[in-house]
Amino acid sequence: MVVEPDGPEDRKPLTDEARSAFTPPFGVERPPVPGDDHPTSEFAAPAGFTAPPAASAPPAYGLPSQALTPAEGIPLVTLTKEAPWQDRMRTLLRMPVGERPVPDTVQRHDGAGPAVPRVLDLTLRIGELLLAGGEGAEDVETAMFAVSRAYGLARCEPTVTFTQLSISYQPSLVEDPVTASRTVRRRGTDYTRLAAVYTLVDDITAEDTDVTLEEAYRRLAVIRRNRHPYPGWALTLASGLLAGAASVLVGGGPVVFVAAAVGAMLGDRLAWLAAGRGLPEFYQFVAAAMPPAAVGVALTLLGSAVHWDGRPSAVITGGLFALLPGRALVAGVQDGLTGYYITAAARLLEVMYFFVAIIIGVLLVLYLGVQLDAQLNPDAALSTPERPVVQIVSAVVLSFAFAILLQQERSTVLMVSVNGGVAWTVYAALHHTGGISPVAATAVAAGLVGLFGQLFSRYRFASALPYVTAAIGPLLPGSATYFGLLGLAQNDLDHGLASLSKAAALALAIAIGVNLGGEISRLFLKVPGAGRASVRRAAKRTRGF
């Protein structure tokens, strides 16, 4: 070991190994350091140069004013605390990464900083529950972004597709990013669980609520373990009530109500049996669509024998109301309108598969009915009786049963039922009284559903899905779907394809109307932030080129 003396005059090597071959001997002046050993930014001013004032900076450097940071600086984004966290986080999520403000850490952690792997894992688990519950891709990303920022992770980028969630966190510009992902293997409809997850995210993002990582994990485990609020027999009764109310909505009477309810409950039990055997959802929909159609055909044959002039076709129509995937359709169109095209394509493909399964199940029975000379009359679609009071009550009951099937909280069932009654009232007033086309009337009524649903969700600081999905039940194209399938079964392709096209147009009108109503509600409510930097930015797309 070499020990150097304290005095500079005595500083000399004790051995030859103590002096490098590239080190000048003692007493010899060191040469100047080359400029390459002290790299400087090419934008740095030379030594001895005095920078001109900010106003004259562009002429001095010969650069346009747009190339420099303005003298007043970049506009600061200040988010209002009164706005819902969905709006605040959506505003930041749509901003470029370089313009996002540094987050104020809401939840405390130890002095070593946030536990990055645990925060990312918690974020993914919350996003998994939301995506599995049917939430839109943008809302899932917004929730994940809110959770990560609340725990102090500033540069996070969540990504959501149909079955895949990922999130990437970059500590700094010189460190490697940390990325985690999670796959959604199983999806189910439980809006009570969805509301509980929204409450957890709201508490995490609130400054006056202390939710540690351990507490968040514990609450998330409780949400996962919670049983559904309604048992299986209640869901079966709700499916029967939904089909019965839908049959009355399209002109059925008491006998038709009972027949439609029985057929829907048989289909529900058959679908549960198919699910217990491990069959895919496609075959479950085929099995669920056959009993309502069989009951309708049987009632038609029986009515021909006893000269009953009821509407057996309403039985099949009511069964279709209970099977049409309105929730997945609205979510798919919403993802497409907000720019998540991969997720939207996957959701719409899922809707198409379910729709094909319903067509196969109903067509098998209708073909059998045609062979048995059942008097299935496609002209019944043109003679739907107008019973305003009965139809409004039926629409409310239909929305109520739909809310039970979606496992909604009991406190939201009444609101969504009233919302469904209002939607049908608007549709009937525009179409039956005003003579407006059914597609336009459906779009306007669905827009009001989306508007009221968004207002209800903001009032409760929750998701808008529980207030929207069940309310669109009375607007679903059950009649158009049935008469389209009947035309195909009777080899009348022109009328069949025309009715199916009408059903597709009505379905798209529902989805677009719901999304447009939600966007309109945001336009007239308080926008988070101040100044031009806080404008709610949409994704920029091509304009036809």
Side-chain angles (χ1 to χ4, degrees):
M1 181 176 180
V2 178
V3 179
E4 295 184 359
D6 295 334
E9 65 278 4
D10 298 332
R11 188 175 298 165
K12 60 182 178 178
L14 300 180
T15 60
D16 292 338
E17 289 80 9
R19 178 169 54 86
S20 171
F22 299 97
T23 304
F26 291 101
V28 178
E29 185 178 359
R30 294 176 179 268
V33 179
D36 294 341
D37 292 345
H38 292 278
T40 59
S41 172
E42 60 185 29
F43 300 103
F49 178 79
T50 303
S56 58
Y61 287 106
L63 296 176
S65 58
Q66 291 82 0
L68 302 176
T69 302
E72 66 273 9
I74 298 176
L76 177 64
V77 178
T78 57
L79 302 179
T80 59
K81 303 301 182 181
E82 295 81 7
W85 62 266
Q86 295 98 319
D87 282 353
R88 290 187 279 116
M89 293 301 109
R90 188 180 287 108
T91 301
L92 294 178
L93 191 62
R94 292 185 175 185
M95 293 176 58
V97 179
E99 297 182 12
R100 294 174 184 170
V102 178
D104 297 330
T105 304
V106 177
Q107 302 301 331
R108 298 192 303 269
H109 45 73
D110 55 16
V116 175
R118 296 195 67 193
V119 172
L120 297 183
D121 179 70
L122 175 67
T123 303
L124 288 173
R125 290 178 183 272
I126 290 177
E128 178 190 13
L129 285 180
L130 294 177
L131 187 62
E135 192 63 85
E138 185 181 33
D139 294 324
V140 176
E141 284 193 2
T142 302
M144 296 172 62
F145 190 71
V147 172
S148 61
R149 285 180 68 89
Y151 285 106
L153 303 187
R155 287 173 291 272
C156 275
E157 285 296 329
T159 304
V160 175
T161 57
F162 185 53
T163 58
Q164 185 79 22
L165 301 99
S166 63
I167 186 169
S168 178
Y169 168 66
Q170 190 172 13
S172 65
L173 297 178
V174 296
E175 296 182 69
D176 295 332
V178 181
T179 304
S181 63
R182 196 172 184 88
T183 302
V184 178
R185 301 291 182 184
R186 183 179 179 183
R187 287 171 294 158
T189 304
D190 189 343
Y191 283 176
T192 299
R193 179 178 297 173
L194 190 69
V197 176
Y198 262 80
T199 301
L200 174 60
V201 177
D202 185 56
D203 291 341
I204 290 176
T205 56
E207 294 183 351
D208 55 350
T209 306
D210 185 16
V211 182
T212 62
L213 281 175
E214 290 74 15
E215 176 67 16
Y217 269 107
R218 187 191 65 79
R219 291 178 57 177
L220 200 61
V222 171
I223 294 173
R224 285 179 174 273
R225 289 195 302 265
N226 276 350
R227 298 174 59 88
H228 298 306
Y230 308 104
W233 61 267
L235 300 181
T236 302
L237 290 178
S239 64
L241 183 62
L242 190 154
S247 65
V248 175
L249 193 66
V250 295
V255 177
V256 172
F257 176 89
V258 175
V262 171
M265 288 189 288
L266 289 177
D268 181 76
R269 286 293 92 189
L270 192 58
W272 276 87
L273 180 62
R277 298 292 181 178
L279 292 178
E281 280 188 295
F282 181 86
Y283 301 105
Q284 297 176 28
F285 271 81
V286 173
M290 295 178 68
V295 172
V297 171
L299 195 61
T300 302
L301 294 173
L302 182 61
S304 300
V306 300
H307 303 288
W308 176 61
D309 58 351
R311 296 176 59 90
S313 61
V315 177
I316 306 177
T317 301
L320 290 176
F321 268 88
L323 294 176
L324 293 178
R327 172 182 57 87
L329 176 67
V330 171
V333 175
Q334 178 183 358
D335 288 340
L337 294 176
T338 52
Y340 295 83
Y341 299 115
I342 297 178
T343 306
R347 289 186 190 271
L348 294 178
L349 183 62
E350 180 189 43
V351 171
M352 186 191 72
Y353 270 104
F354 290 162
F355 197 73
V356 170
I358 296 172
I359 290 176
I360 292 175
V362 175
L363 278 182
L364 289 176
V365 179
L366 290 183
Y367 276 127
L368 180 60
V370 171
Q371 297 302 319
L372 295 176
D373 294 329
Q375 300 299 320
L376 300 171
N377 184 16
D379 295 333
L382 304 176
S383 59
T384 301
E386 296 183 11
R387 302 172 295 177
V389 177
V390 175
Q391 289 178 325
I392 292 175
V393 173
S394 300
V396 173
V397 174
L398 191 155
S399 300
F400 172 81
F402 207 167
I404 300 298
L405 287 176
L406 294 174
Q407 302 279 2
Q408 291 192 194
E409 292 180 296
R410 291 177 174 86
S411 59
T412 64
V413 171
L414 179 60
M415 278 189 272
V416 75
S417 301
V418 174
N419 199 10
V422 172
W424 175 259
T425 303
V426 173
Y427 167 78
L430 293 176
H431 176 53
H432 297 300
T433 305
I436 300 177
S437 67
V439 176
T442 300
V444 173
L448 289 179
V449 169
L451 176 63
F452 292 152
Q454 194 65 232
L455 294 177
F456 287 148
S457 67
R458 288 168 176 267
Y459 174 73
R460 300 287 296 271
F461 293 95
S463 171
L465 282 181
Y467 303 97
V468 169
T469 307
I472 65 173
L475 304 176
L476 292 176
S479 298
T481 303
Y482 164 67
F483 289 109
L485 298 180
L486 180 58
L488 296 180
Q490 294 178 340
N491 203 23
D492 190 356
L493 298 182
D494 292 338
H495 288 84
L497 294 178
S499 295
L500 290 179
S501 300
K502 178 182 176 182
L506 291 174
L508 290 178
I510 292 173
I512 295 175
V514 168
N515 181 266
L516 183 61
E519 295 296 331
I520 290 176
S521 69
R522 294 191 183 100
L523 291 178
F524 293 99
L525 295 177
K526 181 184 294 185
V527 177
R532 61 184 178 91
S534 64
V535 176
R536 186 171 182 265
R537 301 182 181 183
K540 293 183 179 179
R541 306 295 172 191
T542 58
R543 299 295 188 266
F545 51 86

